[in-house]
Amino acid sequence: MGIFDFFKKIFEEEKAEEIKEKVAYSEIENWIEKKGEEIEFKEKEILILLKNKISLFVNELGEKIKVLGDFDVEAKKVEDKFKSIVNESRRNYIESAKNLIKKINNLEEESLEKFSINLNKILTDFNKSTYIAYEKTTILIGKETADIKESVNSSLKYLINVFNENRNLIDSSKTIHFIKQKLKQIGEVNKTLAEIDREITFSNKKIADKRKTNKKILEEIEKIKKSPDYLKYLEEQEKIKFIEEDLEKNILDLKQLIDFKTLANFFHVSEKQMNIVKSYKEDFQTNLKKDGGVSILNLLNESKLNNEIIVEKINEIKFKEEEIEKNKKDIKKDETQKLYSETMKLLLEITSLKNEIEKEEKRKEKLKKSIEEIPEVIKENIGKVGGEVVGE
């Protein structure tokens, strides 16, 4: 059987296999792996034959290079300048031919397609790069030089025929590779989806634990609120609040007792005293608290605008301030405040976890969407390599 008869037989076998093989959806990966092995085996068979053919070509080319190198240019009855041109061109052509052999011998056979494409490029590049050297060499050495070129062209033609005869096999190999990539993509996405689900489950458990803890804290707060100590604390707080409200009223009454207009007229020539008057007039409560009313009292005394009512009101304010401070010192610490801080922290953590879950859910949907059309693409491409997917 000749080499092209062999390729024709393979091609006819491929045509005969057009009856679709039923493939269960769950068995796609195994079926593709098996199909890929079958195609790879056929490719290797063709590659072996190709390599054998190339080996013969290389040996033949080596012999023709020797013949070209041994040709006696000096025997030609032509001018020396022509002999010199031909000898130089012959050396270049022989060197290129030897490099061609090296490149072919070093050629890797990754796949039938890549091997054919790379070999085709090597042979084509040789013809292009040696065009001038070839033309000059054939001035005196026609047949021997032409034999090398003919050998290269014959190999090119042979290679193209092999490639064309096995186009279907090469396309099937590419399709198998494409399907494997898509299956890998689905596998990686499903792995990521499983990881996301585990994270979401873990986050939901953390939320449940935090809610349980929060419930216990709230129950503890309610228990404290019903205790006699807490009720007493509320009474003391209410008492302080009442004194503070009364204090604010006293401060307002004191401000109304002071004649700021007369004070301003009295001290209008003194910048320092005028600043005190203005500051008290604009924010009476803050300045009174700052120095206990000493500065405004001094101004009232100096201007003769002070009176017993004002002094009494200031003393009353001081007394209430002292009473507030004493009550605040005596009052017990609110035990619920720390618990409220803890429950607030838990609620913030729960909200953060919920946000994270929501973000992961959106990520899940995006990932699912990224592969939702892949099963149909795989089915379509399986049809190109003799299969038909059935079931889901």
Side-chain angles (χ1 to χ4, degrees):
M1 184 187 294
I3 184 68
F4 287 109
D5 290 332
F6 175 80
F7 291 136
K8 185 178 180 183
K9 181 175 181 294
I10 291 176
F11 183 73
E12 285 173 351
E13 286 174 356
E14 291 292 321
K15 296 285 283 183
E17 289 175 4
E18 284 183 358
I19 298 172
K20 302 294 183 184
E21 184 181 346
K22 305 294 183 183
V23 185
Y25 193 84
S26 59
E27 289 297 314
I28 287 177
E29 198 164 349
N30 290 336
W31 188 86
I32 285 297
E33 194 63 37
K34 184 180 175 183
K35 196 71 176 176
E37 288 173 0
E38 290 174 4
I39 291 171
E40 187 179 349
F41 179 76
K42 290 176 182 178
E43 279 193 313
K44 283 182 177 177
E45 284 186 320
I46 297 168
L47 276 168
I48 289 169
L49 292 169
L50 264 177
K51 292 285 280 185
N52 289 336
K53 175 68 177 178
I54 295 305
S55 179
L56 292 173
F57 161 70
V58 166
N59 291 334
E60 180 185 298
L61 185 60
E63 291 173 3
K64 290 179 178 180
I65 289 171
K66 187 176 184 307
V67 170
L68 178 59
D70 291 342
F71 187 89
D72 187 4
V73 175
E74 298 303 321
K76 292 284 185 179
K77 295 179 179 180
V78 293
E79 294 180 26
D80 287 343
K81 66 177 181 179
F82 288 114
K83 291 179 183 179
S84 177
I85 291 170
V86 170
N87 278 326
E88 178 64 25
S89 299
R90 176 172 59 173
R91 279 194 296 273
N92 291 336
Y93 194 73
I94 288 173
E95 185 180 349
S96 296
K98 286 180 179 178
N99 285 332
L100 171 65
I101 291 173
K102 286 181 183 177
K103 288 179 181 178
I104 291 172
N105 286 334
N106 293 329
L107 192 60
E108 294 181 4
E109 48 179 86
E110 300 173 59
S111 67
L112 177 59
E113 181 183 34
K114 287 185 178 179
F115 183 81
S116 300
I117 290 171
N118 291 336
L119 181 58
N120 181 76
K121 185 177 187 305
I122 290 171
L123 295 171
T124 303
D125 286 349
F126 171 78
N127 278 340
K128 288 180 180 177
S129 65
T130 59
Y131 176 77
I132 294 175
Y134 173 81
E135 291 295 323
K136 288 182 179 180
T137 304
T138 54
I139 294 173
L140 297 178
I141 316 173
K143 181 181 180 303
E144 290 78 2
T145 312
D147 281 348
I148 292 176
K149 186 173 184 179
E150 178 58 32
S151 182
V152 171
N153 288 340
S154 176
S155 295
L156 267 172
K157 184 178 178 182
Y158 167 82
L159 181 64
I160 291 167
N161 285 334
V162 170
F163 190 84
N164 289 336
E165 286 289 341
N166 292 279
R167 181 76 259 182
N168 187 53
L169 183 65
I170 290 167
D171 288 343
S172 293
S173 179
K174 290 167 74 174
T175 301
I176 291 293
H177 179 69
F178 175 77
I179 293 171
K180 283 183 177 180
Q181 282 185 318
K182 291 299 175 185
L183 287 170
K184 184 181 177 183
Q185 186 180 346
I186 289 176
E188 288 173 349
V189 168
N190 285 335
K191 183 181 176 182
T192 304
L193 288 172
E195 289 172 359
I196 291 172
D197 283 335
R198 283 194 293 272
E199 285 297 320
I200 289 174
T201 300
F202 182 67
S203 294
N204 278 322
K205 185 180 181 303
K206 285 172 75 174
I207 288 173
D209 290 343
K210 289 180 186 297
R211 280 176 173 163
K212 188 176 179 181
T213 303
N214 191 50
K215 185 181 177 183
K216 287 181 180 178
I217 292 172
L218 292 174
E219 287 172 354
E220 181 65 21
I221 289 172
E222 288 305 311
K223 184 179 176 182
I224 291 170
K225 283 184 175 181
K226 291 175 183 176
S227 68
D229 286 344
Y230 188 77
L231 293 173
K232 185 180 178 182
Y233 164 79
L234 291 179
E235 288 177 7
E236 290 172 346
Q237 282 288 86
E238 193 64 31
K239 181 181 177 182
I240 291 170
K241 183 180 177 184
F242 176 78
I243 297 171
E244 285 175 339
E245 288 174 353
D246 196 33
L247 174 63
E248 285 184 15
K249 183 177 179 300
N250 287 336
I251 291 171
L252 182 62
D253 290 342
L254 175 61
K255 185 179 180 181
Q256 291 174 343
L257 289 172
I258 297 171
D259 188 349
F260 284 102
K261 185 177 180 181
T262 304
L263 268 178
N265 288 334
F266 189 86
F267 292 108
H268 71 279
V269 293
S270 173
E271 185 178 354
K272 183 180 178 180
Q273 279 84 348
M274 275 299 295
N275 286 336
I276 295 172
V277 173
K278 285 179 182 180
S279 63
Y280 263 87
K281 186 178 179 181
E282 290 171 1
D283 192 351
F284 188 81
Q285 188 168 344
T286 301
N287 285 284
L288 183 69
K289 192 173 183 180
K290 190 187 294 183
D291 67 357
V294 172
S295 56
I296 193 70
L297 194 58
N298 288 337
L299 295 182
L300 288 169
N301 288 332
E302 190 177 342
S303 62
K304 310 296 183 184
L305 292 174
N306 196 4
N307 56 58
E308 290 182 3
I309 298 174
I310 291 174
V311 173
E312 186 179 338
K313 187 61 70 175
I314 289 175
N315 290 333
E316 189 178 347
I317 289 168
K318 286 181 180 179
F319 174 77
K320 281 186 167 54
E321 287 175 340
E322 289 171 359
E323 189 178 6
I324 290 169
E325 286 301 315
K326 182 179 179 303
N327 284 325
K328 283 183 177 180
K329 285 179 181 178
D330 293 340
I331 196 171
K332 288 186 177 181
K333 190 176 180 181
D334 182 4
E335 294 178 19
T336 65
Q337 291 304 309
K338 184 180 178 181
L339 294 174
Y340 273 123
S341 296
E342 289 179 15
T343 191
M344 183 59 69
K345 182 183 176 184
L346 283 168
L347 290 173
L348 288 172
E349 288 172 352
I350 288 170
T351 301
S352 177
L353 285 166
K354 283 182 176 179
N355 290 337
E356 193 61 33
I357 289 171
E358 185 180 351
K359 187 168 74 173
E360 289 299 297
E361 290 288 359
K362 286 179 180 178
R363 186 177 165 217
K364 269 179 67 176
E365 290 306 310
K366 191 175 179 181
L367 283 168
K368 286 178 181 178
K369 194 171 182 180
S370 72
I371 61 169
E372 64 183 10
E373 294 180 3
I374 292 180
E376 285 304 315
V377 172
I378 289 175
K379 286 181 182 180
E380 181 184 337
N381 279 276
I382 282 177
K384 295 178 182 178
V385 289
E388 182 184 353
V389 180
V390 293
E392 292 296 332

